[in-house]
Coordinates of all heavy atoms in Angstrom, one line a residue:
Chain B
A1 N -19.4 -1.8 4.3 CA -18.2 -1.1 3.7 C -17.0 -1.4 4.6 O -17.1 -1.6 5.8 CB -18.5 0.4 3.7
Q2 N -15.8 -1.4 4.0 CA -14.6 -1.5 4.8 C -13.8 -0.2 4.9 O -13.8 0.6 4.0 CB -13.7 -2.6 4.1 CG -14.4 -3.9 3.9 CD -13.5 -5.0 3.4 OE1 -12.4 -5.2 4.0 NE2 -13.9 -5.6 2.3
K3 N -13.3 -0.1 6.0 CA -12.6 1.2 6.3 C -11.4 1.0 7.3 O -11.4 0.1 8.1 CB -13.5 2.2 6.9 CG -13.0 3.6 7.1 CD -14.2 4.4 7.7 CE -13.7 5.9 7.9 NZ -14.7 6.7 8.5
V4 N -10.3 1.8 7.0 CA -9.2 1.8 8.0 C -9.0 3.2 8.4 O -8.8 4.0 7.6 CB -8.0 1.1 7.3 CG1 -6.7 1.3 8.2 CG2 -8.2 -0.3 6.8
T5 N -8.9 3.4 9.7 CA -8.7 4.7 10.2 C -7.4 4.8 10.9 O -7.2 4.0 12.0 CB -9.8 5.1 11.2 OG1 -11.1 5.1 10.4 CG2 -9.6 6.6 11.7
Q6 N -6.5 5.7 10.5 CA -5.3 6.1 11.2 C -5.4 7.5 11.8 O -5.1 8.4 10.9 CB -4.1 5.9 10.4 CG -3.9 4.4 10.0 CD -2.6 4.1 9.2 OE1 -2.7 4.0 8.0 NE2 -1.5 4.1 9.8
A7 N -5.9 7.7 12.9 CA -6.2 9.0 13.4 C -5.0 9.9 13.6 O -5.1 11.1 13.5 CB -7.1 8.9 14.7
Q8 N -3.9 9.4 13.9 CA -2.6 10.1 14.1 C -2.0 10.5 12.7 O -1.5 9.6 12.0 CB -1.7 9.3 15.0 CG -2.2 8.8 16.3 CD -1.5 7.5 16.6 OE1 -1.4 6.6 15.9 NE2 -1.0 7.5 17.9
T9 N -2.0 11.7 12.4 CA -1.5 12.1 11.1 C 0.1 12.2 11.2 O 0.7 11.8 10.3 CB -2.0 13.6 10.8 OG1 -3.4 13.5 10.7 CG2 -1.5 13.9 9.5
E10 N 0.5 12.7 12.4 CA 2.0 12.8 12.5 C 2.3 12.8 14.0 O 1.6 13.3 14.8 CB 2.5 14.2 12.0 CG 4.0 14.4 12.0 CD 4.4 15.5 11.2 OE1 4.0 15.7 10.1 OE2 5.2 16.3 11.7
I11 N 3.4 12.0 14.3 CA 3.8 11.9 15.7 C 5.3 12.2 15.7 O 6.1 11.8 14.8 CB 3.7 10.4 16.2 CG1 2.2 10.1 16.1 CG2 4.2 10.3 17.7 CD1 2.0 8.5 16.5
S12 N 5.7 12.9 16.6 CA 7.2 13.2 16.8 C 7.6 12.7 18.2 O 6.9 13.0 19.2 CB 7.5 14.7 16.7 OG 7.3 15.2 15.4
V13 N 8.7 12.0 18.2 CA 9.2 11.4 19.5 C 10.7 11.6 19.5 O 11.4 11.8 18.4 CB 9.0 10.0 19.7 CG1 7.4 9.7 19.8 CG2 9.5 9.1 18.6
V14 N 11.3 11.6 20.7 CA 12.7 11.8 20.7 C 13.3 10.3 20.8 O 12.6 9.4 21.3 CB 13.1 12.4 22.1 CG1 14.6 12.5 22.2 CG2 12.6 13.9 22.1
E15 N 14.5 10.1 20.2 CA 15.0 8.8 20.1 C 15.0 8.1 21.5 O 15.2 8.7 22.5 CB 16.5 8.9 19.6 CG 17.1 7.7 18.9 CD 18.4 8.0 18.2 OE1 19.1 9.0 18.5 OE2 18.7 7.2 17.4
K16 N 14.8 6.8 21.4 CA 14.7 5.9 22.5 C 13.4 5.9 23.2 O 13.1 5.1 24.1 CB 15.8 6.2 23.5 CG 17.2 6.0 23.0 CD 18.3 6.1 24.1 CE 19.7 6.0 23.4 NZ 20.8 6.1 24.4
E17 N 12.5 6.8 22.8 CA 11.1 6.7 23.3 C 10.3 5.7 22.7 O 10.7 5.3 21.5 CB 10.4 8.0 23.2 CG 10.9 9.2 24.0 CD 10.0 10.4 23.8 OE1 9.0 10.4 23.0 OE2 10.2 11.4 24.4
D18 N 9.3 5.0 23.4 CA 8.4 4.1 22.8 C 7.2 4.9 22.2 O 6.9 6.0 22.6 CB 7.8 3.2 23.9 CG 8.9 2.4 24.6 OD1 10.0 2.3 24.2 OD2 8.5 1.7 25.6
V19 N 6.8 4.4 21.0 CA 5.7 5.0 20.4 C 4.7 3.9 19.9 O 5.1 3.0 19.4 CB 6.3 5.9 19.2 CG1 7.0 5.2 18.2 CG2 5.1 6.7 18.5
T20 N 3.4 4.3 20.0 CA 2.4 3.4 19.5 C 1.6 4.1 18.4 O 1.1 5.2 18.5 CB 1.4 3.0 20.6 OG1 2.2 2.2 21.5 CG2 0.3 2.1 20.1
L21 N 1.4 3.4 17.2 CA 0.7 3.8 16.2 C -0.6 3.1 16.1 O -0.7 1.9 16.2 CB 1.4 3.6 14.7 CG 2.9 4.1 14.8 CD1 3.5 3.8 13.5 CD2 3.0 5.6 15.1
D22 N -1.7 3.9 16.1 CA -3.0 3.3 16.1 C -3.8 3.0 14.7 O -3.4 3.7 13.8 CB -4.0 4.3 16.9 CG -3.6 4.6 18.3 OD1 -2.9 3.7 18.8 OD2 -3.9 5.7 18.8
C23 N -4.4 1.9 14.8 CA -5.1 1.6 13.5 C -6.4 1.0 14.0 O -6.5 0.0 14.7 CB -4.3 0.6 12.8 SG -5.2 -0.1 11.3
V24 N -7.5 1.5 13.4 CA -8.8 1.0 13.7 C -9.5 0.6 12.4 O -9.4 1.4 11.4 CB -9.7 2.1 14.5 CG1 -11.1 1.6 14.5 CG2 -9.2 2.4 15.8
Y25 N -10.1 -0.5 12.4 CA -10.7 -0.9 11.0 C -12.2 -1.2 11.2 O -12.7 -1.5 12.3 CB -9.9 -2.2 10.6 CG -10.1 -3.4 11.5 CD1 -11.0 -4.3 11.4 CD2 -9.1 -3.6 12.6 CE1 -11.2 -5.4 12.1 CE2 -9.2 -4.6 13.5 CZ -10.3 -5.6 13.3 OH -10.4 -6.6 14.1
E26 N -12.8 -1.4 10.1 CA -14.2 -1.7 10.0 C -14.3 -2.6 8.9 O -13.9 -2.5 7.8 CB -15.2 -0.5 9.6 CG -15.2 0.6 10.8 CD -16.0 1.8 10.3 OE1 -16.9 1.6 9.6 OE2 -15.7 2.9 10.9
T27 N -15.1 -3.7 9.1 CA -15.4 -4.8 8.1 C -16.6 -5.7 8.6 O -16.7 -5.9 9.9 CB -14.1 -5.6 7.8 OG1 -14.5 -6.5 6.7 CG2 -13.6 -6.3 9.0
R28 N -17.4 -6.1 7.7 CA -18.4 -7.0 8.0 C -18.0 -8.5 7.7 O -18.7 -9.4 8.0 CB -19.6 -6.7 7.3 CG -20.3 -5.3 7.7 CD -21.5 -5.2 6.9 NE -22.1 -3.8 7.2 CZ -23.1 -3.2 6.8 NH1 -23.8 -3.9 5.8 NH2 -23.6 -2.1 7.1
D29 N -16.8 -8.7 7.1 CA -16.3 -10.0 6.8 C -15.8 -10.7 8.1 O -15.3 -10.1 9.0 CB -15.1 -9.9 5.8 CG -15.6 -9.3 4.5 OD1 -16.7 -9.6 4.1 OD2 -14.8 -8.6 3.9
T30 N -16.1 -12.0 8.1 CA -15.7 -12.7 9.3 C -14.2 -13.1 9.1 O -13.5 -13.4 10.2 CB -16.5 -14.0 9.5 OG1 -16.6 -14.7 8.2 CG2 -18.0 -13.5 9.8
T31 N -13.8 -13.3 7.9 CA -12.3 -13.5 7.7 C -11.8 -12.4 7.0 O -12.2 -12.0 6.0 CB -12.2 -14.9 6.8 OG1 -12.8 -15.9 7.3 CG2 -10.8 -15.1 6.4
Y32 N -10.8 -11.9 7.6 CA -10.0 -10.7 7.0 C -8.5 -10.7 7.4 O -8.1 -11.5 8.2 CB -10.6 -9.4 7.4 CG -10.9 -9.2 8.9 CD1 -10.0 -8.7 9.7 CD2 -12.1 -9.7 9.5 CE1 -10.1 -8.4 11.0 CE2 -12.3 -9.5 10.8 CZ -11.4 -8.9 11.6 OH -11.5 -8.8 13.0
Y33 N -7.9 -9.8 6.9 CA -6.4 -9.8 7.1 C -6.0 -8.3 7.3 O -6.5 -7.5 6.6 CB -5.7 -10.4 5.8 CG -6.1 -11.8 5.5 CD1 -7.2 -11.9 4.7 CD2 -5.5 -12.9 6.0 CE1 -7.8 -13.2 4.3 CE2 -5.9 -14.2 5.7 CZ -7.1 -14.3 4.9 OH -7.6 -15.6 4.6
L34 N -5.1 -8.2 8.2 CA -4.6 -6.9 8.4 C -3.1 -6.8 8.2 O -2.3 -7.8 8.4 CB -4.8 -6.5 10.0 CG -6.3 -6.4 10.3 CD1 -6.5 -6.5 11.8 CD2 -7.0 -5.1 9.7
F35 N -2.7 -5.6 7.8 CA -1.2 -5.4 7.4 C -0.7 -4.1 8.0 O -1.4 -3.2 8.1 CB -1.1 -5.5 5.9 CG -1.7 -6.6 5.2 CD1 -3.0 -6.6 5.0 CD2 -0.8 -7.7 4.8 CE1 -3.6 -7.7 4.2 CE2 -1.5 -8.8 4.1 CZ -2.8 -8.7 3.9
W36 N 0.6 -4.1 8.1 CA 1.3 -2.8 8.4 C 2.4 -2.7 7.4 O 3.1 -3.7 7.1 CB 1.9 -2.7 9.8 CG 1.0 -2.3 10.8 CD1 0.2 -3.0 11.7 CD2 0.7 -0.9 11.1 NE1 -0.6 -2.1 12.5 CE2 -0.3 -0.8 12.2 CE3 1.1 0.4 10.6 CZ2 -0.8 0.3 12.7 CZ3 0.6 1.5 11.1 CH2 -0.4 1.5 12.1
Y37 N 2.5 -1.5 6.8 CA 3.6 -1.2 5.8 C 4.4 0.0 6.3 O 3.8 1.0 6.9 CB 3.1 -1.0 4.4 CG 2.6 -2.2 3.7 CD1 1.2 -2.6 3.9 CD2 3.4 -2.9 2.8 CE1 0.8 -3.7 3.3 CE2 2.9 -4.0 2.2 CZ 1.7 -4.4 2.4 OH 1.2 -5.6 1.7
K38 N 5.6 0.1 5.9 CA 6.5 1.2 6.2 C 6.9 1.8 5.0 O 7.4 1.2 4.0 CB 7.8 0.8 7.0 CG 8.7 1.9 7.3 CD 9.9 1.3 8.0 CE 11.0 2.4 8.3 NZ 12.2 1.8 9.0
Q39 N 6.7 3.2 4.9 CA 7.2 3.9 3.7 C 8.3 4.9 4.1 O 8.0 6.1 4.6 CB 6.1 4.6 3.0 CG 6.5 5.2 1.6 CD 5.3 5.8 0.9 OE1 4.3 6.5 1.5 NE2 5.2 5.6 -0.4
P40 N 9.6 4.6 4.0 CA 10.6 5.5 4.5 C 10.7 6.7 3.4 O 10.0 6.6 2.4 CB 11.8 4.6 4.4 CG 11.5 3.5 3.5 CD 10.0 3.4 3.5
P41 N 11.5 7.7 3.7 CA 11.7 8.9 2.7 C 12.0 8.3 1.4 O 11.7 9.2 0.4 CB 12.7 9.6 3.5 CG 12.7 9.3 4.9 CD 12.2 7.9 4.9
S42 N 12.7 7.3 1.2 CA 13.0 6.8 -0.2 C 11.7 6.5 -1.0 O 11.7 6.4 -2.2 CB 13.9 5.5 -0.1 OG 13.1 4.4 0.5
G43 N 10.6 6.2 -0.3 CA 9.4 6.1 -1.1 C 8.8 4.8 -1.2 O 7.6 4.5 -1.5
E44 N 9.6 3.7 -1.1 CA 9.1 2.3 -1.4 C 8.4 1.7 -0.2 O 9.1 1.7 0.9 CB 10.4 1.5 -1.8 CG 9.9 0.1 -2.3 CD 11.1 -0.6 -3.1 OE1 12.0 0.2 -3.5 OE2 10.9 -1.8 -3.3

Side-chain angles (χ1 to χ4, degrees):
Chain B
Q2 300 189 55
K3 186 178 179 182
V4 174
T5 301
Q6 295 181 256
Q8 303 152 308
T9 304
E10 185 168 314
I11 301 174
S12 292
V13 298
V14 176
E15 205 170 20
K16 297 185 184 178
E17 284 186 3
D18 298 348
V19 59
T20 295
L21 310 181
D22 298 333
C23 173
V24 175
Y25 63 92
E26 294 178 28
T27 181
R28 293 180 180 177
D29 293 323
T30 53
T31 299
Y32 54 89
Y33 306 85
L34 297 163
F35 307 83
W36 275 96
Y37 287 87
K38 174 182 180 180
Q39 187 175 40
S42 61
E44 189 163 344

